[in-house]
Amino acid sequence: MIIDWIILLLMALFTYLIVRRSVTGVTTTPVWLLWLVLMMPPFVWSLWILVYSAKQLPPIELLIGMSILSIFFYLKLHQKGRKNLTPTQKEPSPAVESLPVKEVASPPLPLRPIDKTEETKLKNCFPWSIFYVNNIEYRPQAIICRGQLREKSPSQAYDRIKENVRLEFGDRFLVLFQEDMTGKPFFALVPNTQAAANKRKNDKLTRPGLALGLLIATIYTTTLVGVGIANTNNIEALRSNPEILLSGLPYGISLMTILGIHELGHYLTARYYKIRATLPYFIPFPLFLGTFGAFIQMRSPVPNRKALFDVSIAGPLAGFVVTLPLLIWGLAHSTVVSLPEKAEQVLNPNALDPNYSLLLALLSKLTLGIQLSADSGIDLHPVAVAGLLGAIATALNLIPVGQLDGGHIIHAMFGQRNGIAIGQISRFLILGLALLQPGFWIWAIILFFMPVADEPALNDISELDNKRDILGILAMALLVIIILPMPEQLAQLLN
């Protein structure tokens, strides 16, 4: 019960930070009110458990109804606040709104960041044979150059215009190549307010001491949780015999390896594209899983959709390459047990129903063979627990919504407008999946808190090649086989 309340508290804080980031400057509706509306479903869930205990789950109809009402009132309040914006607070263009605030908002910028003489120089940066400029709009955060793209290759057009702007204005502007809501390409010049700051802070970017300290702390917390997974009784004897801590290493090291390789995939690919990024930072937590994962921060814009795709997909694929053999090894050393008549929890490591996931069921049958039958569960080895969590983390990251890795991948494959539409559909599909897999309820609700639009690449027009499109489709297929339960007909066929 204490862990449940801790998770609720962390989710509430996480939700508030996301709402504050996504609505600041876009609506006049108070952040706390929007946050309260979005937290209605988890609050009702928690109140139900407090009254009726965790053994009696709330009715599905109540959860669906509260989720629909929460989303409805959030959209209504958000839209009402947008209508109350003053004329000086009009919604910026998609290119400007999607950029990180820290890149464009400080210090305050004049409405016209160039004079008449410089405007002539700016027009000369756009050869008519490359991009014919029809109109220049001045926004508080950008100079919008609209016109007609004449160059057949968007990538070559962007490189030519970017180089012309650099020759005329140095590193004064970031050059963005975007699509408006009608699908027409335009250029946006955003004042590069962090160019000098980035040079001064270059040595402090990685902060290896902090990264190492968090790594050591997270190894300890995951090992501590691993002791309980290996044998619950060991936790009580740990104070008198510290050597018992070694029994938690298989789980702790396995989980840390999966998470670390995932983040290193992002980090090394970002470095390959010369994107400034921090080292992976782990988040230690002495309860639950022993950690809340790891993350890196990218401190410079992504140059194009190719780089966005590669950086985004490198993490899940690298993590899964490590997860798969660990999960197979762990399943091979697990024990087949009988399933309890009534499931105590969704993912019970002491009697796991392998049909929870199509991938898990296939791997379980592959490794355990005839030992596994329709009414059998699996008492997971600690390494298998870590592998299962790694597979779940891979799937959650691949969900094509907003700033998740899957959201970036879909954006890179289909463009930002189509990516937003796919993200909206994915939210409701995961909500529907939660009817089959109760463990997805919390995540389905969290997805509705996330903005569906992620940050655009500087060149957001140039499309991917066929190889990357195929790889992206395979990544989405991997998501499907992890999160979908085993079909009953296939389960009967495999016994």
Side-chain angles (χ1 to χ4, degrees), residues 374-494:
D375 58 348
S376 298
I378 306 175
D379 184 1
L380 293 178
H381 186 277
V383 173
V385 176
L388 176 61
L389 294 176
I392 294 174
T394 298
L396 296 181
N397 274 285
L398 285 176
I399 294 176
V401 175
Q403 296 187 1
L404 296 174
D405 292 334
H408 295 315
I409 292 170
I410 292 299
H411 170 189
M413 292 174 63
F414 302 106
Q416 191 175 49
R417 287 190 306 142
N418 293 329
I420 291 174
I422 293 173
Q424 293 282 26
I425 296 172
S426 300
R427 283 172 163 178
F428 288 98
L429 289 178
I430 296 298
L431 189 62
L433 178 64
L435 299 176
L436 300 175
Q437 305 281 46
F440 278 91
W441 266 114
I442 293 180
W443 192 251
I445 295 171
I446 289 177
L447 289 179
F448 280 95
F449 301 161
M450 294 183 178
V452 288
D454 64 338
E455 299 167 7
L458 294 180
N459 175 10
D460 213 48
I461 301 296
S462 299
E463 298 181 353
L464 302 180
D465 53 60
N466 291 336
K467 291 181 180 179
R468 286 181 171 81
D469 284 334
I470 293 173
L471 185 59
I473 292 173
L474 291 176
M476 293 302 108
L478 176 61
L479 163 66
V480 171
I481 65 173
I482 292 177
I483 66 175
L484 284 187
M486 168 69 87
E488 184 176 350
Q489 295 80 0
L490 183 58
Q492 292 176 353
L493 179 65
L494 296 176

Side-chain angles (χ1 to χ4, degrees), residues 220-295:
Y220 175 75
T221 55
T222 52
T223 301
L224 191 65
V225 170
V227 173
I229 293 175
N231 187 345
T232 306
N233 296 330
N234 284 345
I235 291 292
E236 301 175 359
L238 185 59
R239 292 183 180 179
S240 59
N241 185 11
E243 291 184 0
I244 294 179
L245 193 64
L246 297 176
S247 65
L249 284 177
Y251 168 82
I253 297 299
S254 298
L255 184 60
M256 290 294 291
T257 300
I258 293 171
L259 297 177
I261 294 297
H262 178 113
E263 295 305 326
L264 278 177
H266 288 313
Y267 175 76
L268 295 177
T269 311
R271 291 294 300 269
Y272 173 80
Y273 283 103
K274 297 180 173 57
I275 300 171
R276 300 178 71 249
T278 66
L279 290 170
Y281 294 134
F282 290 87
I283 307 174
F285 190 67
L287 302 173
F288 195 40
L289 306 177
T291 177
F292 279 119
F295 67 94

Side-chain angles (χ1 to χ4, degrees), residues 271-348:
R271 291 294 300 269
Y272 173 80
Y273 283 103
K274 297 180 173 57
I275 300 171
R276 300 178 71 249
T278 66
L279 290 170
Y281 294 134
F282 290 87
I283 307 174
F285 190 67
L287 302 173
F288 195 40
L289 306 177
T291 177
F292 279 119
F295 67 94
I296 67 170
Q297 291 180 319
M298 292 192 292
R299 299 292 180 82
S300 59
V302 179
N304 49 53
R305 280 162 58 175
K306 174 184 174 182
L308 177 65
F309 179 89
D310 289 352
V311 172
S312 301
I313 203 169
L317 289 189
F320 186 72
V321 167
V322 179
T323 296
L324 192 59
L326 287 175
L327 181 56
I328 292 174
W329 188 94
L331 287 171
H333 290 78
S334 299
T335 305
V336 176
V337 297
S338 299
L339 285 174
E341 295 183 3
K342 186 175 182 181
E344 299 178 359
Q345 57 193 77
V346 177
L347 291 175
N348 181 5

Side-chain angles (χ1 to χ4, degrees), residues 96-146:
V96 178
E97 183 181 9
S98 300
L99 282 176
V101 175
K102 63 181 180 181
E103 295 286 352
V104 296
S106 179
L109 302 172
L111 185 61
R112 189 182 180 88
I114 62 174
D115 55 33
K116 283 290 185 180
T117 304
E118 291 178 319
E119 182 176 301
T120 302
K121 293 181 180 179
L122 177 59
K123 290 181 178 179
N124 292 335
C125 293
F126 295 87
W128 68 271
S129 60
I130 303 294
F131 187 87
Y132 181 74
V133 176
N134 293 327
N135 184 36
I136 297 179
E137 302 174 10
Y138 293 97
R139 303 289 182 89
Q141 294 179 325
I143 305 171
I144 310 297
C145 302
R146 301 186 185 277

Side-chain angles (χ1 to χ4, degrees), residues 146-181:
R146 301 186 185 277
Q148 183 178 356
L149 179 63
R150 295 181 179 272
E151 170 63 51
K152 293 183 179 180
S153 171
S155 179
Q156 293 181 9
Y158 175 76
D159 291 341
R160 177 72 180 276
I161 301 301
K162 178 183 176 182
E163 179 63 17
N164 291 345
V165 172
R166 187 191 67 80
L167 293 174
E168 289 291 347
F169 300 98
D171 61 356
R172 181 174 166 185
F173 295 106
L174 292 174
V175 181
L176 286 76
F177 195 22
Q178 310 284 307
E179 280 186 353
D180 60 19
M181 298 306 295

